[in-house]
Amino acid sequence: MDKYRAFKESFGKSVDRLSCVVKVASHFAPKQKGEFTGIWDTGAQVSAVSPDVAKKLSLSPVDSWEVYGVNGKTLLPVVLVDLRLPNNHRMDSVYAVVADIGGGDILLGMNVITQGDFLVTNKNGQTELTFVVPPLEERPDLYRTATEINHKS
Protein backbone atom coordinates (compact mmCIF):
# COMPACT_ATOMS: atom_id res chain seq x y z
CA MET A 1 0.00 0.00 0.00
CA ASP A 2 1.30 3.46 -0.91
CA LYS A 3 2.36 5.74 1.94
CA TYR A 4 0.70 8.76 0.31
CA ARG A 5 -2.47 9.23 -1.70
CA ALA A 6 -2.53 12.31 -3.88
CA PHE A 7 -4.59 13.77 -6.66
CA LYS A 8 -4.34 16.75 -8.96
CA GLU A 9 -7.28 18.59 -10.47
CA SER A 10 -6.32 20.77 -13.45
CA PHE A 11 -9.00 23.21 -14.54
CA GLY A 12 -7.44 24.42 -17.83
CA LYS A 13 -8.19 28.05 -16.97
CA SER A 14 -8.19 30.37 -13.99
CA VAL A 15 -11.09 29.53 -11.68
CA ASP A 16 -12.56 31.09 -8.56
CA ARG A 17 -14.13 27.84 -7.32
CA LEU A 18 -12.09 24.73 -6.57
CA SER A 19 -14.15 21.62 -7.17
CA CYS A 20 -13.85 17.89 -7.74
CA VAL A 21 -16.00 14.78 -7.71
CA VAL A 22 -16.40 13.27 -4.23
CA LYS A 23 -18.06 9.99 -3.33
CA VAL A 24 -20.26 10.38 -0.27
CA ALA A 25 -21.96 7.66 1.78
CA SER A 26 -24.10 7.62 4.87
CA HIS A 27 -21.89 6.53 7.77
CA PHE A 28 -24.72 4.46 9.24
CA ALA A 29 -26.02 3.03 5.95
CA PRO A 30 -22.99 2.72 3.61
CA LYS A 31 -25.12 1.41 0.73
CA GLN A 32 -26.73 4.86 0.60
CA LYS A 33 -24.06 6.58 -1.50
CA GLY A 34 -23.45 8.69 -4.57
CA GLU A 35 -21.02 10.89 -6.49
CA PHE A 36 -21.33 14.61 -5.93
CA THR A 37 -19.62 17.89 -6.74
CA GLY A 38 -17.39 18.92 -3.86
CA ILE A 39 -16.17 22.47 -3.35
CA TRP A 40 -12.99 23.06 -1.34
CA ASP A 41 -13.41 25.91 1.17
CA THR A 42 -10.56 26.97 3.45
CA GLY A 43 -12.89 29.52 5.05
CA ALA A 44 -15.20 26.81 6.42
CA GLN A 45 -14.23 25.18 9.70
CA VAL A 46 -16.52 22.25 9.05
CA SER A 47 -17.72 20.47 5.93
CA ALA A 48 -21.33 20.68 4.73
CA VAL A 49 -23.74 18.72 2.57
CA SER A 50 -26.67 20.22 0.72
CA PRO A 51 -30.24 19.37 1.76
CA ASP A 52 -30.58 17.46 -1.56
CA VAL A 53 -27.60 15.23 -0.70
CA ALA A 54 -28.95 14.68 2.82
CA LYS A 55 -32.30 13.65 1.37
CA LYS A 56 -30.85 11.43 -1.39
CA LEU A 57 -28.66 9.56 1.12
CA SER A 58 -31.35 9.52 3.85
CA LEU A 59 -28.96 11.17 6.29
CA SER A 60 -30.31 11.54 9.82
CA PRO A 61 -29.00 14.29 12.09
CA VAL A 62 -26.76 13.19 14.94
CA ASP A 63 -26.55 16.64 16.51
CA SER A 64 -27.07 20.32 15.77
CA TRP A 65 -24.42 23.03 15.81
CA GLU A 66 -24.43 26.80 15.80
CA VAL A 67 -22.61 27.83 12.64
CA TYR A 68 -21.35 31.35 12.02
CA GLY A 69 -21.38 32.57 8.43
CA VAL A 70 -21.55 35.80 6.48
CA ASN A 71 -25.23 36.16 7.45
CA GLY A 72 -24.69 35.62 11.19
CA LYS A 73 -25.21 32.47 13.24
CA THR A 74 -27.60 29.64 12.42
CA LEU A 75 -28.45 26.38 14.14
CA LEU A 76 -27.93 23.57 11.60
CA PRO A 77 -28.38 19.80 11.71
CA VAL A 78 -25.18 17.74 11.73
CA VAL A 79 -24.82 14.42 9.89
CA LEU A 80 -22.07 11.81 9.77
CA VAL A 81 -20.74 10.83 6.34
CA ASP A 82 -17.96 8.75 4.84
CA LEU A 83 -16.04 10.41 2.00
CA ARG A 84 -13.91 9.04 -0.79
CA LEU A 85 -11.75 11.67 -2.44
CA PRO A 86 -10.43 11.52 -6.03
CA ASN A 87 -7.15 10.04 -4.74
CA ASN A 88 -9.26 7.13 -3.45
CA HIS A 89 -8.51 8.18 0.11
CA ARG A 90 -11.36 7.24 2.40
CA MET A 91 -12.35 9.50 5.28
CA ASP A 92 -14.84 7.89 7.63
CA SER A 93 -17.00 9.55 10.26
CA VAL A 94 -16.76 13.09 8.87
CA TYR A 95 -19.09 15.55 10.57
CA ALA A 96 -20.94 17.82 8.14
CA VAL A 97 -23.68 20.37 8.64
CA VAL A 98 -26.68 20.33 6.33
CA ALA A 99 -26.77 23.69 4.55
CA ASP A 100 -27.38 25.30 1.20
CA ILE A 101 -24.18 25.24 -0.85
CA GLY A 102 -24.07 27.51 -3.86
CA GLY A 103 -22.75 25.70 -6.91
CA GLY A 104 -22.02 22.36 -5.30
CA ASP A 105 -23.37 19.41 -3.36
CA ILE A 106 -20.77 19.11 -0.63
CA LEU A 107 -18.42 21.65 0.88
CA LEU A 108 -15.03 20.30 1.95
CA GLY A 109 -14.05 22.39 4.96
CA MET A 110 -11.00 22.54 7.17
CA ASN A 111 -11.98 19.34 9.01
CA VAL A 112 -11.11 17.58 5.71
CA ILE A 113 -8.37 19.88 4.39
CA THR A 114 -6.24 19.62 7.55
CA GLN A 115 -5.96 15.86 7.07
CA GLY A 116 -3.38 16.45 4.32
CA ASP A 117 -1.45 19.02 2.31
CA PHE A 118 -3.53 21.31 0.10
CA LEU A 119 -1.89 23.38 -2.65
CA VAL A 120 -3.34 25.69 -5.30
CA THR A 121 -1.22 27.03 -8.16
CA ASN A 122 -2.03 29.32 -11.08
CA LYS A 123 0.79 28.96 -13.63
CA ASN A 124 0.01 30.52 -17.02
CA GLY A 125 -3.48 31.47 -15.87
CA GLN A 126 -4.44 27.83 -15.27
CA THR A 127 -5.57 26.83 -11.80
CA GLU A 128 -4.45 23.51 -10.43
CA LEU A 129 -5.38 21.94 -7.09
CA THR A 130 -3.25 19.24 -5.47
CA PHE A 131 -4.13 17.34 -2.30
CA VAL A 132 -2.13 14.60 -0.56
CA VAL A 133 -2.91 12.50 2.50
CA PRO A 134 -1.23 12.20 4.95
CA PRO A 135 0.75 15.46 5.00
CA LEU A 136 4.17 15.14 3.37
CA GLU A 137 7.17 14.73 5.65
CA GLU A 138 8.88 17.62 3.85
CA ARG A 139 6.52 20.56 3.67
CA PRO A 140 6.26 22.32 0.29
CA ASP A 141 7.79 25.75 0.87
CA LEU A 142 6.89 28.25 -1.84
CA TYR A 143 8.63 31.07 0.02
CA ARG A 144 11.94 29.18 0.07
CA THR A 145 11.61 28.18 -3.59
CA ALA A 146 10.90 31.77 -4.68
CA THR A 147 13.77 33.12 -2.57
CA GLU A 148 16.22 30.61 -4.07
CA ILE A 149 15.12 31.47 -7.61
CA ASN A 150 15.42 35.23 -6.89
CA HIS A 151 18.95 34.85 -5.51
CA LYS A 152 20.04 32.92 -8.62
CA SER A 153 18.91 35.70 -10.97
Side-chain angles (χ1 to χ4, degrees), residues 75-145:
L75 188 64
L76 295 173
V78 177
V79 295
L80 206 51
V81 294
D82 297 337
L83 304 177
R84 190 168 302 261
L85 301 175
N87 57 358
N88 214 26
H89 178 68
R90 185 173 171 165
M91 299 177 129
D92 291 334
S93 305
V94 175
Y95 287 101
V97 296
V98 178
D100 289 320
I101 301 167
D105 304 306
I106 180 165
L107 188 117
L108 301 165
M110 290 304 290
N111 62 329
V112 168
I113 295 170
T114 57
Q115 301 303 306
D117 285 334
F118 178 77
L119 180 65
V120 179
T121 60
N122 289 288
K123 183 178 180 180
N124 298 325
Q126 296 186 18
T127 304
E128 196 169 82
L129 156 71
T130 308
F131 187 68
V132 61
V133 177
L136 298 172
E137 290 176 21
E138 187 173 325
R139 179 179 298 196
D141 188 341
L142 300 179
Y143 175 80
R144 183 184 72 223
T145 302

